[in-house]
Amino acid sequence: MTVTEGLGLLVLVGLTAYAVLGGADFGAGLWDLSRQRRQRELVVRSMAPVWEANHVWLIFVAIALFSGFPEAFAALSRSLTGPLSIALLGIVLRGAAFAFRQYGAPYGGRPVRGTGLWARIFAVSSLVTPFAFGAAAGGITTGRVRADGSAGFLAPFLAPLPLVSGLLAVAACGFLAAVYLTADADREGDEELVNRLRVRALVTGVIAGGLALAALPLLPAWFARQLSLPAMAISVVCGALALELVRRGHYQLARVAAAGAPAALLGGWALAMQPWVLPGEVPLRVASEGTASLILGILICGLMIVLPSYWYMIRVLRAPRTTAEARATDRNTVAGR
Amino acid sequence: MLDDLTAAREQMALSLGFHIVFAVLGVGMPWLMLWAEWRGLRTGDVRWTALARRWSKAVAVLFAVGAVSGTVLSVEFGLLWPHFMERFGSAFGVSFTLESFAFFLEAIFLALYLYGWDRLSPRKHLLCGIPIGLSGVASALFVTTANAWMNGPVGLVRGPDGELISTEPLGPFLTPTTGTQLTHMLLAAFMCTGLAVAAVYATAMLRDPAKRDGYHRRGLAAGATLGLSLAVPQALVGDWATRVVADEQPAKFAAMEGVEVTQDGAAFSFGPFEIPKLLSLMLRFDPDARITGLDAIPAADRPPAGITHLAFQVMVGIGVALIALAAYAAWRYRRDRRRGGHPTDDRRFLLALAAAGPAPFVALIAGWIVTEVGRQPWIVFQVMRTADALTSQTGLAIYLYVTIAVYLALSVALVAILRRIAQGPRPTDPAPVEMERSAA
Ligand code: HDD
Ligand code: HEM
Ligand code: HEM
């Protein structure tokens, strides 16, 4: 494997991790629009400890790109200015709004003024961001964006494929979130919530699958020719398996399968794009072999520390709280609308 | 409408200036929390534990805003200065790659700390604080090495005709200003954190005399000790930084000190005052030493002198004032302990500490203005001009206005929530006998 391939693979790993971990946090925004208080509280409990760590994957991708592939980073920044700016705005509002809403009433009682508005901003910005990212990926695929940004701020993304892939990203995030939340509700033993959420998981799963199919005829011919069949097959099988597992009530396993569907889709997309970052214009190319291999080495060592730490965090925070009183304060920290 | 270059620079200044406020608290607060939690564990004094818990709630909100505003920066580098990133992204790639792992570890262990109070044993919980503190420090240091490199790019690999081919990956760790910038930045972060915390408790005690209890005194003492004990070292490092700048970036130095023409035996000016020959004496230990003025720099390479000079004076003024405050506070604590009183019974003492809270933040921003504006017109000193790095996108003023609006809204909400967090129930002081013992 060359340095370029190795580093490219790590960028893809980061992107996939962001999609399936960060994506579920964005999707949770969809389920936060619910009028049911218990459901909104579950969203907070599930997301609060993990969203920041999940969010770092985006930073990981940006940094790995500009360190290893500065040319590609600059070209993407120029050509995707529109959707990236929108996503950025969404990211800022989503993160801040989530924290404000979580701590709006830190000791119970009436929340700080404006908390209700932040709660709504949280939900809406959670949907805008994946849409913008999806549209950006779709825009790249159409081949209509230009490396110098001359194709326009938003024009290249107002086409069928970018719009469908934006919706697909939102649906996929909503699906992942619904599956993860169902599993969490199941662990907490809340039967009613499990039933509500699993219906939502099934519906969004079917919608996401439908949108993925709808995107197929919109793909440019050269891209469709390069599409890797095995990757597509894995995605379809994972999606179907996840739906079946949710239907049968095996929620923990469904989590894994559900993550597999978008992950394989992304992998297939990246394989088909190869070796291009912007089709026909900018290939994936390291600026200097020496720096790139050093970066690659640091990334691998770093992940060997980070991944076990992440796993330890999940294990500890999944364990039940030691006191009933603590469990009660958990619920009080949620300030609703 | 602002022109695009100005808008982009203001945008960069605003987003960095906003982020750094949270970043410094992210560097310092974990250590304060650790200190309070450790004291609580060791002495069994619930007031320390309550402080640690209260602070951890505030840190959770501050960290979220810090994380999202930091993300803005990493994407904004590309959106505003794509040409700069294209040429030099890999030059400070190692710094930022290491930094990304610091972020991961900070986010992971912070989650364990915040949500692990009732899930981990007290000892394990305390231990989780250490990686948070270390990675906060590491991320500040790594990002500062990247900036140091922009101020003194080393490791440039040039071709036969002098054209730039590539950059050595370890450059940022070897630049002339790395040493001063890292130490100065780290001390600044701790000073900001400490004095901000002290000011919160001083303000509370001023508003409500019933709050002059052990809980608030402990909060105030921990913050003031951290913040004020570093005032003298910070000035010494600042002095060191001045010497390095004078050697490496004479244009920046001339702008900082307001030296218009090259002269022997330059005067030192501060505000309206001017002392003959002092600048030469301080810099070179020779009252007649030659100081390079702005006239020696080609007009196209001169930084904006007015703002650099003003910012430098503000920073140094605050630095000196904080040394005075440190001396006063140390003297008050000692004197009042001898007399059996407590300095927090004195309104003037509280007022001084409340006023000192924002001061290091102002110095911090001023210091960055010195560094960044003083480097102009270069984005990478003597290698690439800021104007050449700008994106070809137009209408950048819109970004600036949106950023101002969003950051304003975030600030308003943040302040409201932090105030609410501060209003929670607090542990009462134990009976008087016991209190004396635990105060000793
Ligand atoms: C608490 C904040 C604080 C305080 C009290 C001071 N500084 Fe400072 N200063 C900073 C916070 C800061 C900083 C963290 O904002 C900077 C910006 C870049 C850096 O490395 O540190 C800085 C930069 C900076 C620079 C420019 C370095 C460069 O461009 O490479 C100089 C020459 C000084 N400082 C000198 C001083 C002196 C003589 C002080 C006297 C008391 C002083 N500073 C107090
Ligand atoms: C957090 C504290 C910082 C503050 C308050 C700050 C402040 C500023 C200011 C005022 C400018 C505009 C200068 C001008 O155009 O006259 C600027 C520009 C810039 N700064 Fe900083 N800076 C900080 C840290 C950093 C760091 C750590 C980096 C890099 C790793 C950095 C990179 C840049 C870049 C790329 C620009 C734009 C180009 C330029 O105008 O030179 N800054 N900053
Ligand atoms: C000298 C100036 C800076 C310092 C001291 C600093 C330090 C920090 C610290 C300590 C954090 C941890 C989170 C927190 O508590 O807020 C943080 C977050 C962050 N910083 Fe900065 N930073 C600086 C400038 C920058 C710049 C120029 C960038 C742009 C690349 C940047 C990118 C980030 C990002 C992406 C995060 C979020 C990481 C997370 O989710 O934890 N920072 N920064």
Side-chain angles (χ1 to χ4, degrees), chain B residues 26-112:
Chain B
V27 174
M29 281 309 290
W31 297 106
L32 268 187
M33 290 193 302
L34 261 175
W35 164 252
E37 190 183 355
W38 179 71
R39 292 281 295 171
L41 274 182
R42 235 190 44 153
T43 62
D45 184 338
V46 291
R47 290 166 296 183
W48 282 116
T49 315
L51 280 170
R53 281 205 175 218
R54 181 72 48 91
W55 290 342
S56 78
K57 274 196 164 59
V59 165
V61 187
L62 291 168
F63 185 80
V65 179
V68 294
S69 60
T71 313
V72 170
L73 288 171
S74 36
V75 181
E76 206 170 60
F77 270 163
L79 293 182
L80 296 178
W81 317 105
H83 196 56
F84 164 61
M85 294 310 281
E86 193 161 24
R87 292 299 288 286
F88 300 115
S90 54
F92 43 71
V94 173
S95 296
F96 277 110
T97 307
L98 288 168
E99 165 137 8
S100 71
F101 289 108
F103 292 154
F104 264 126
L105 292 178
E106 188 165 5
I108 290 172
F109 283 95
L110 190 69
L112 277 166

Side-chain angles (χ1 to χ4, degrees), chain A residues 59, chain B residues 16 19-20 23 26 63 66-67 70-71 73 96 103 106 139-140 143 368:
Chain A
I59 298 159
Chain B
L16 280 158
H19 175 66
I20 191 126
F63 185 80
T71 313
L73 288 171
F96 277 110
F103 292 154
E106 188 165 5
S139 55
V143 80
W368 276 106

Side-chain angles (χ1 to χ4, degrees), chain A residues 253-274:
Chain A
L253 279 177
R255 262 185 139 116
V256 181
L265 199 64
L266 255 178
W269 178 75
L271 275 178
M273 285 291 287
Q274 240 197 356

Side-chain angles (χ1 to χ4, degrees), chain A residues 5-274:
Chain A
E5 285 167 353
L7 206 52
L9 191 65
L10 276 188
V11 171
L12 181 64
V13 167
L15 214 52
T16 310
Y18 186 58
V20 301
L21 298 169
D25 295 335
F26 281 109
L30 186 63
W31 310 123
D32 193 64
L33 284 167
S34 159
R35 213 164 297 163
Q36 213 212 24
R37 195 186 161 88
R38 283 225 312 283
Q39 181 169 324
R40 296 200 310 268
E41 288 175 348
L42 179 69
V43 167
V44 172
R45 274 201 305 283
S46 302
M47 252 184 87
V50 291
W51 76 267
E52 278 173 303
N54 293 344
H55 165 84
V56 180
W57 284 110
L58 173 65
I59 298 159
F60 175 93
V61 169
I63 289 176
L65 264 181
F66 75 59
S67 311
F69 308 109
E71 185 191 6
F73 180 78
L76 289 173
S77 301
R78 290 193 186 103
S79 57
L80 303 179
T81 305
L84 283 186
S85 309
I86 294 171
L88 208 50
L89 183 65
I91 286 168
V92 171
L93 290 176
R94 191 284 298 245
F98 182 76
F100 292 166
R101 159 187 192 281
Q102 186 191 355
Y103 286 96
Y107 311 102
R110 267 178 70 85
V112 173
R113 253 184 63 199
T115 304
L117 178 64
W118 284 112
R120 231 154 306 163
I121 290 178
F122 163 66
V124 174
S125 52
S126 295
L127 299 182
V128 170
T129 309
F131 182 82
F133 278 130
I140 295 175
T141 317
T142 59
R144 286 174 49 185
V145 301
R146 291 277 81 85
D148 57 2
S150 58
F153 188 73
L154 287 180
F157 309 97
L158 300 175
L161 181 60
L163 294 178
V164 170
S165 51
L167 290 178
L168 171 59
V170 175
C173 291
F175 170 59
L176 283 173
V179 175
Y180 294 5
L181 286 170
T182 314
D184 283 346
D186 185 46
R187 222 163 15 89
E188 292 183 0
D190 189 335
E191 273 308 311
E192 193 201 324
L193 212 48
V194 169
N195 286 329
R196 278 173 66 89
L197 284 164
R198 71 192 281 261
V199 176
R200 281 159 178 73
L202 292 172
V203 173
T204 39
V206 171
I207 294 177
L211 283 166
L213 286 181
L216 280 180
L218 300 175
L219 294 173
W222 69 268
F223 185 88
R225 268 197 306 279
Q226 295 207 46
L227 214 51
S228 135
L229 281 180
M232 294 301 116
I234 295 176
S235 181
V236 171
V237 169
C238 281
L241 191 64
L243 288 177
E244 183 57 19
L245 287 168
V246 168
R247 216 179 52 80
R248 296 205 182 166
H250 298 295
Y251 304 116
Q252 300 300 337
L253 279 177
R255 262 185 139 116
V256 181
L265 199 64
L266 255 178
W269 178 75
L271 275 178
M273 285 291 287
Q274 240 197 356

